Amino acid sequence: MIAPLPPVATARSYRPPGSLVIRIEGVTKLYRMGAETVHALRGVNVEIRRNEYLAIMGPSGSGKSTLMNMLGCLDTPTGGRYDFNGKNVAHMVDDELAEIRNREIGFVFQTFNLLPRSDALHNVELPLVYAGVGPAERRERALEALKNVGLGDRVHHKPNELSGGQRQRVAIARALVNRPSILLADEPTGNLDSRTGEEIMALFEQLYDQGNTIIVVTHEEDIARHARRIVRLRDGLIERDERPGA
Amino acid sequence: MTRGIYELTESFRIAFGQIRANAMRSVLTALGVIIGIVAVTLMGTAINGIDIGFNRSLALLGDDVLYVQRWPWRRVPDWWNYVNRPAIQVEQAERLNRIFEATPGSLLEVAVPVGARGTNVKAGDVKLGGVMLFGTNSDYSRIVTAEVAAGRLFTEFEANAGRSVCVLGSGVAENLFPGRPALGQTVDIRGQHFSVVGVLAKQGEFLGLFSFDNQIIVPLNAMRKLWGNRMDLQLRVKVTDKTKLTQAEEELTGAMRRVRGQLPAERDNFSINQQQAFKEQLDPVKTGIAVAGLFITGLSLFVGAIGIMNITFVSVKERTKEIGTRKALGARRRTILLQFLIEAVSICLIGGAVGLAITYVTCLGISGALPELPVEFSGSLMIVSMAVSILTGVISGFAPALGASRLDPVEALRYE
Ligand SMILES: Nc1ncnc2c1ncn2[C@@H]1O[C@H](COP(=O)(O)OP(=O)(O)O)[C@@H](O)[C@H]1O
Ligand SMILES: [Mg+2]
C-alpha cells in the first residue's frame, strides 16, 4: 500500500521567530471625509518578529489595507506608536520613510503595479536604482531575483507579454531584490484565478523557507491558511491573533 | 552621489520612454517651444545683425578721425546757441596743422578741410541726382577710409590749383558709366567737366540712411570755383592713437580755441564730433529695439512654456499610480521631482535644438540670398538659446513636478 500523502499542513516548516521587526501600540487611523470621520483603525497592538509568516485577515473594509500601508511606512498613524526595527516611525520625515520602504520593505500589490513600458528586468532593478546600486550589480541581482521566482527565461518580457501569475512573480522579485526585512503583500492573489493564486502561495512558502519574513493581507480563508499566524481584523480592531498548529 | 547619477540616468530613460510612447503629444508640445525658440533666436540674430550693421557704418566714419563742425551730431534743444557760430574756414585747417607740428607729442596728426554739398551730375545722357560732393585737399588721402579701386586720389598740385579732376564713389561710377570703366571719362558737375582720375572701392550704406558710394570727391578749390563759399565746411582731424580719443579731443578743442582766438570765459563756438557720439545716440535705440523685440518673441516662448507645463500636469495625472508605486519602492521626493523636471526639460531641449536648427538654416538662406545683410549665427546664440530652453523646461515643469513629488503615496496608489 502506498501511504497517503501527508496533508499540506504537516509538510510545513516552522522557523523559530527571530528579533522584533514591527511593534505597534494603540495605533489609530482616522480619515476625515468632509463632516464624517472614518475610524479605519481604532487602537491596534501587534508585534511581528523576523521569520514570521503572518496573514492579516478580515472582511472588506475592516482596515487591513490601512494597517498594511502603516506597516509598510507608506502612511503614518493618527495616534499610537509604531517602532520599525526599534525606531519610532511616527515622527520620521518623508525621505526617511522612503529610505525604509526602499531597504527594509518589499511591497507586493493586488494589481502588480509594474511599469508597463519596462521589461521584467528593469522593473526588478528599480528599487536598486533608488538604493544607489551600480548598473552591473543591479543587473546581476535582478536576474538572480527573477530566477528565484522562476522567471529566468522571461527577463526581457514587458508586463503585457506576461500572464497575470508571471506579472505577480515579477512584482515579488522586485519586492525581494533589495533583501528587505519583511515582504508585505496586499491581496496578492486578488487579481488571479485560484489555480494561479495557489502557485503564488506556493512561491511564498518557498520564500519563507528561504528565510524571508512575510505578511500577507487577504480576505480569503484559503489564502490565510498558508500563514503560520493569522491576525483577524474587524472594524479596525484585532479580533483574534491565532497561531494554528504552533 | 552615485545614487544621484543612477537616478538621473533613470529619469532620462523614463523621459525618453515617455516621449516616445506619446510621440504625437510630445511633438505638438515641442512645437510650441520650437516656434518660441525660432522666434527668439531669429530676433537675437536680427539684433546682433543691427549691432554689426551699426558698427560697420560707424567704421565708415573712421574710428581715428575727429570732425570739427558748427553743429554737433546730436539733437540740440538750444539751437539758437549754434546757429550763429562762425563758419569753419580752410585757413583754420592750415593753422591747426602748424599747431600740431609745433606741439611735441601731439595726439593730432593732420587736419583736412572738407566741403560738402548735395548736387546733380551728368555724364553724356546719364543724369544722376542726390550725389554727395566733397571738396578737399590732397591730405584727404591720409584720412580716407575707403580703398582706391582704380586710378588714384588727386595730387597736391591738382588740389592747390583747383583742377577739374574727380574721384568717384563706386555707386556713382556704376550709375554714370554702367558696364565700362569710369577712369578717364568726364563728369559734368554744374556745367564744369571733371575728368575721373580715381574710383573708390565699395563701402556700403551708413545705417541705411545714405550710401557712402554715392559720393564724388573733387579738389576743394575746384568746388569753390562753382559755389564760392556757399557750402558746409568741416575739418577732419586724424589722431595718432585712437585709444586716446578723449585726450585728443581735448587737445583739439584747445588748439581750435587758439585758432579762433576765443577767450577763456567763452564757450566753444564749434563742435567736435566723433563716431562715439553716434554710438551714444544709437545705443538707446538699439537697446529699445532689442528689449521690444525680445519681449514680443519671448511671448511666443511663454506660450510654448505653458504648453510644457500643461503636458507635464497631464503626465503627472496619468501616472499618479506609477508615482505611488515608485514611492513604495523607495523613490524620494526629489527623485520624483527630478523625474518630471527632466521630462519637461527633455521636451524643451529637443524643441530648442530643432528650433535652433531651423534658425540656422534660415540664417544660411538669408545670408545666401542677401549677402549684404549682416546676419550672423553665433556660437553664443546657440549656448544662450539652449540655456533658455533648459530654463523654460525647469520653470514650466516645476509646479507639476513639485505636485508629483508631494503626492501622498497611499493616495497615489489608490488612484485609478
Ligand atoms: N483614503 C481614505 N479616505 C477615506 N476613507 C478611507 C481611506 N482609506 C480607507 N478608508 C476607509 O477606511 C476603512 C478601512 O479601509 P481599508 O483599510 O482599505 O479596508 P480593507 O483593506 O480591509 O478592505 C474603510 O471604511 C475605508 O472606506
Ligand atoms: Mg484592502
Side-chain angles (χ1 to χ4, degrees), chain A residues 60-61 64-66 110 186-187 217:
Chain A
S60 183
K64 304 182 298 292
S65 294
T66 306
Q110 179 175 350
D186 192 354
E187 310 265 10
V217 169

Side-chain angles (χ1 to χ4, degrees), chain B residues 187-258:
Chain B
V187 178
D188 182 342
I189 305 173
R190 248 201 163 196
Q192 180 73 39
H193 291 281
F194 283 75
S195 54
V196 180
V197 296
V199 178
L200 297 178
K202 194 169 166 56
Q203 295 186 78
E205 295 200 333
F206 181 75
L207 303 176
L209 297 175
F210 59 88
S211 171
F212 266 75
D213 299 319
N214 193 28
Q215 62 172 325
I216 299 180
I217 304 165
V218 297
L220 183 58
N221 287 340
M223 199 169 163
R224 280 171 140 175
K225 286 180 191 166
L226 298 176
W227 278 284
N229 277 330
R230 283 174 294 120
M231 59 188 138
D232 193 23
L233 204 67
Q234 55 180 242
L235 305 181
R236 298 192 190 176
V237 181
K238 188 179 168 73
V239 303
T240 53
D241 182 353
K242 61 184 167 195
T243 61
K244 293 183 182 155
L245 270 185
T246 319
Q247 289 108 295
E249 193 178 326
E250 275 167 25
E251 187 191 334
L252 181 56
T253 306
M256 193 62 193
R257 285 179 71 94
R258 236 172 92 193

Side-chain angles (χ1 to χ4, degrees), chain B residues 179-341:
Chain B
R180 57 203 163 104
L183 217 59
Q185 306 282 350
T186 53
V187 178
D188 182 342
I189 305 173
R190 248 201 163 196
Q192 180 73 39
H193 291 281
F194 283 75
S195 54
V196 180
V197 296
V199 178
L200 297 178
K202 194 169 166 56
Q203 295 186 78
E205 295 200 333
F206 181 75
L207 303 176
L209 297 175
F210 59 88
S211 171
F212 266 75
D213 299 319
N214 193 28
Q215 62 172 325
I216 299 180
I217 304 165
V218 297
L220 183 58
N221 287 340
M223 199 169 163
R224 280 171 140 175
K225 286 180 191 166
L226 298 176
W227 278 284
N229 277 330
R230 283 174 294 120
M231 59 188 138
D232 193 23
L233 204 67
Q234 55 180 242
L235 305 181
R236 298 192 190 176
V237 181
K238 188 179 168 73
V239 303
T240 53
D241 182 353
K242 61 184 167 195
T243 61
K244 293 183 182 155
L245 270 185
T246 319
Q247 289 108 295
E249 193 178 326
E250 275 167 25
E251 187 191 334
L252 181 56
T253 306
M256 193 62 193
R257 285 179 71 94
R258 236 172 92 193
V259 167
R260 285 256 168 116
Q262 288 199 274
L263 297 173
E266 272 181 296
R267 292 215 280 165
D268 295 346
N269 57 11
F270 54 90
S271 289
I272 295 179
N273 297 314
Q274 50 158 307
Q275 60 157 359
Q276 193 59 34
F278 258 109
K279 236 187 157 71
E280 277 159 17
Q281 289 238 64
L282 293 172
D283 274 344
V285 178
K286 253 166 37 186
T287 313
I289 294 173
V291 168
L294 286 179
F295 178 76
I296 291 164
T297 50
L299 282 181
S300 67
L301 189 61
F302 182 69
V303 173
I306 290 175
I308 296 284
M309 190 184 280
N310 180 49
I311 212 68
T312 315
F313 270 122
V314 169
S315 189
V316 168
K317 198 90 194 149
E318 277 176 352
R319 291 191 289 154
T320 301
K321 191 161 185 163
E322 181 194 314
I323 294 166
T325 306
R326 287 180 184 274
K327 288 198 159 196
L329 298 179
R332 289 164 303 164
R333 280 190 178 177
R334 79 186 82 127
T335 312
I336 302 290
L337 180 83
L338 197 69
Q339 177 187 329
F340 284 96
L341 267 189

Side-chain angles (χ1 to χ4, degrees), chain A residues 31 69 74-75 94-95 98-99 101-103 107 109 111 113 115 117 119 122 126-127 129-135 138 174, chain B residues 2-3 6-7 10 13 17-18 21-22 319 321-322 324-335 339 408-410 413:
Chain A
Y31 289 110
N69 290 337
L74 282 170
D75 210 349
D94 227 76
D95 279 0
E99 192 83 19
R101 292 197 291 268
N102 182 237
R103 294 182 189 278
F107 283 98
F109 304 96
T111 50
N113 293 20
L115 304 188
R117 275 189 294 279
D119 61 14
H122 184 243
L126 203 55
V129 172
Y130 295 140
V133 176
R138 216 150 68 197
R174 181 178 68 182
Chain B
T2 46
R3 172 157 72 175
Y6 300 148
E7 286 180 354
E10 170 72 10
R13 178 184 176 143
Q18 193 62 18
N22 303 300
R319 291 191 289 154
K321 191 161 185 163
E322 181 194 314
T325 306
R326 287 180 184 274
K327 288 198 159 196
L329 298 179
R332 289 164 303 164
R333 280 190 178 177
R334 79 186 82 127
T335 312
Q339 177 187 329
D408 179 63
V410 177
L413 279 167

Side-chain angles (χ1 to χ4, degrees), chain B residues 30 32-45 48 294 297-298 301 344-360 363 376-395:
Chain B
V33 179
I34 293 172
I35 292 170
I37 288 290
V38 167
V40 171
T41 49
L42 276 182
M43 182 51 71
T45 313
N48 202 17
L294 286 179
T297 50
L301 189 61
V345 168
S346 298
I347 296 179
C348 283
L349 268 179
I350 294 172
V354 172
L356 213 52
I358 291 173
T359 304
Y360 180 67
C363 284
E376 232 170 69
F377 186 85
S378 64
S380 60
L381 185 74
M382 227 163 101
I383 293 167
V384 167
S385 53
M386 286 328 264
V388 166
S389 303
I390 292 174
L391 202 69
T392 306
V394 170
I395 290 174

Side-chain angles (χ1 to χ4, degrees), chain A residues 31 33 38 40 59-67, chain B residues 411 414:
Chain A
Y31 289 110
M33 309 266 291
V38 180
S60 183
S62 56
K64 304 182 298 292
S65 294
T66 306
L67 179 59
Chain B
E411 297 284 318
R414 285 164 67 100

